[in-house]
Amino acid sequence: NKGLTLPTPFDDILPPKNKKKSKAEISSKRKAFRITDYHKILEACPAQDTLLYALIVLGAYTGCRIEELCILKIENITKDRFEVIDAKSEAGWRTVPIHPHIADLVHTLKSSTNGEYLFPELTQNKYGERSNAIGKRFGRLKTKLGYGRVHVFHSFRYGFSGQLENAMIQQTQASRLTGHKVHGMTYGLYSDGLAFERLREVIEHINWKLPTIQSSTYHYSN
């Protein structure tokens, strides 16, 4: 054949088989925190660790990654929104409306610091990350409560996304809020994103309050 190499004629005729995930892979997948988990963790948070408490609440109500919250600067927080401008991807650079349930907390945090960051107490590790130490504090807290490797701070983000899905929010709208890439030519390439008013409507579907039963009807406690 004079040194010619030809592909096997039967390659690529049949579609590739989907690789099935093993039971170990499925069981090790990260899981979402539910509303009951959120309250269990908050109640167990040491009274003196107000910083960790605030970070948990903000994580639940913004869907932000822990490092995104730890590097939030005061100049990027207005009365009604966070501007996430140093995310790990281009899609992550986004506007997150301040949920009504955390408006007072955010105001208190802003008013109590003259520093550059919303959480000025945090320091960088050798990799330039500000979330390392407090992330370990959260890890010790959740482990003490019996949560394993599949539950991490990121599990609040999973729970946030789950609440949006159960509220029947369109995936593109949820992606704009969580900073995930929007696929498709029309929305992913040409659109410059949702109007702030719609983002605010979407985030108000998030509710981590415990339901209470009154007169056979569910109401949300304060």
Side-chain angles (χ1 to χ4, degrees), residues 30-41 56 60 138 142-143 145 147-148 150-163 208:
R30 287 178 177 175
K31 296 182 180 178
F33 281 133
R34 308 299 182 187
I35 294 176
T36 51
D37 299 315
Y38 169 74
H39 287 273
K40 180 179 178 180
I41 293 170
I56 291 170
F138 176 80
K142 63 95 177 180
T143 299
L145 294 173
Y147 294 101
V150 297
H151 285 100
V152 293
F153 192 91
H154 208 75
S155 295
F156 290 116
R157 186 168 164 85
Y158 280 54
F160 183 95
S161 297
Q163 286 196 29
W208 290 90

Side-chain angles (χ1 to χ4, degrees), residues 133-183:
I134 197 166
K136 290 180 178 178
R137 294 215 304 266
F138 176 80
R140 291 192 292 270
L141 174 63
K142 63 95 177 180
T143 299
K144 182 179 178 181
L145 294 173
Y147 294 101
R149 296 174 61 184
V150 297
H151 285 100
V152 293
F153 192 91
H154 208 75
S155 295
F156 290 116
R157 186 168 164 85
Y158 280 54
F160 183 95
S161 297
Q163 286 196 29
L164 294 181
E165 181 177 7
N166 281 283
M168 306 297 287
I169 299 300
Q170 294 178 13
Q171 186 172 354
T172 55
Q173 297 178 354
S175 294
R176 296 292 188 192
L177 197 55
T178 56
H180 287 140
K181 184 176 181 180
V182 175
H183 296 280

Side-chain angles (χ1 to χ4, degrees), residues 43-55:
E43 289 171 5
C45 190
Q48 69 277 13
D49 201 343
T50 55
L51 176 57
L52 180 57
Y53 188 99
L55 193 66

Side-chain angles (χ1 to χ4, degrees), residues 1-203:
N1 61 9
K2 296 184 180 181
L4 295 177
T5 56
L6 297 175
T8 304
F10 300 106
D11 285 350
D12 299 325
I13 292 178
L14 296 176
K17 292 183 179 180
N18 292 327
K19 182 181 178 182
K20 292 184 178 180
K21 292 185 178 180
S22 67
K23 290 183 179 180
E25 289 176 317
I26 295 174
S27 63
S28 65
K29 182 180 178 181
R30 287 178 177 175
K31 296 182 180 178
F33 281 133
R34 308 299 182 187
I35 294 176
T36 51
D37 299 315
Y38 169 74
H39 287 273
K40 180 179 178 180
I41 293 170
L42 282 183
E43 289 171 5
C45 190
Q48 69 277 13
D49 201 343
T50 55
L51 176 57
L52 180 57
Y53 188 99
L55 193 66
I56 291 170
V57 174
L58 263 61
Y61 275 100
T62 64
C64 287
R65 301 173 179 86
I66 186 170
E67 182 66 15
E68 290 175 340
L69 293 172
C70 292
I71 62 175
L72 265 177
K73 294 184 177 181
I74 296 297
E75 65 183 23
N76 295 322
I77 305 171
T78 62
K79 182 178 180 181
D80 60 0
R81 71 194 72 187
F82 301 109
E83 297 292 346
V84 182
I85 62 170
D86 196 13
K88 70 175 187 177
S89 67
E90 182 180 354
W93 292 52
R94 64 198 186 278
T95 299
V96 180
I98 296 177
H99 194 288
H101 291 176
I102 63 171
D104 289 343
L105 173 61
V106 174
H107 176 73
T108 299
L109 290 171
K110 286 183 63 179
S111 301
S112 62
T113 179
N114 293 320
E116 180 182 6
Y117 295 95
L118 184 64
F119 297 109
E121 305 93 330
L122 301 177
T123 56
Q124 292 183 350
N125 65 3
K126 62 181 180 180
Y127 303 108
E129 299 169 336
R130 304 186 79 243
S131 61
N132 183 261
I134 197 166
K136 290 180 178 178
R137 294 215 304 266
F138 176 80
R140 291 192 292 270
L141 174 63
K142 63 95 177 180
T143 299
K144 182 179 178 181
L145 294 173
Y147 294 101
R149 296 174 61 184
V150 297
H151 285 100
V152 293
F153 192 91
H154 208 75
S155 295
F156 290 116
R157 186 168 164 85
Y158 280 54
F160 183 95
S161 297
Q163 286 196 29
L164 294 181
E165 181 177 7
N166 281 283
M168 306 297 287
I169 299 300
Q170 294 178 13
Q171 186 172 354
T172 55
Q173 297 178 354
S175 294
R176 296 292 188 192
L177 197 55
T178 56
H180 287 140
K181 184 176 181 180
V182 175
H183 296 280
M185 183 71 72
T186 303
Y187 292 160
L189 182 61
Y190 290 133
S191 175
D192 61 355
L194 287 177
F196 178 77
E197 290 74 15
R198 179 53 187 158
L199 286 172
R200 184 167 51 194
E201 291 173 1
V202 171
I203 205 169

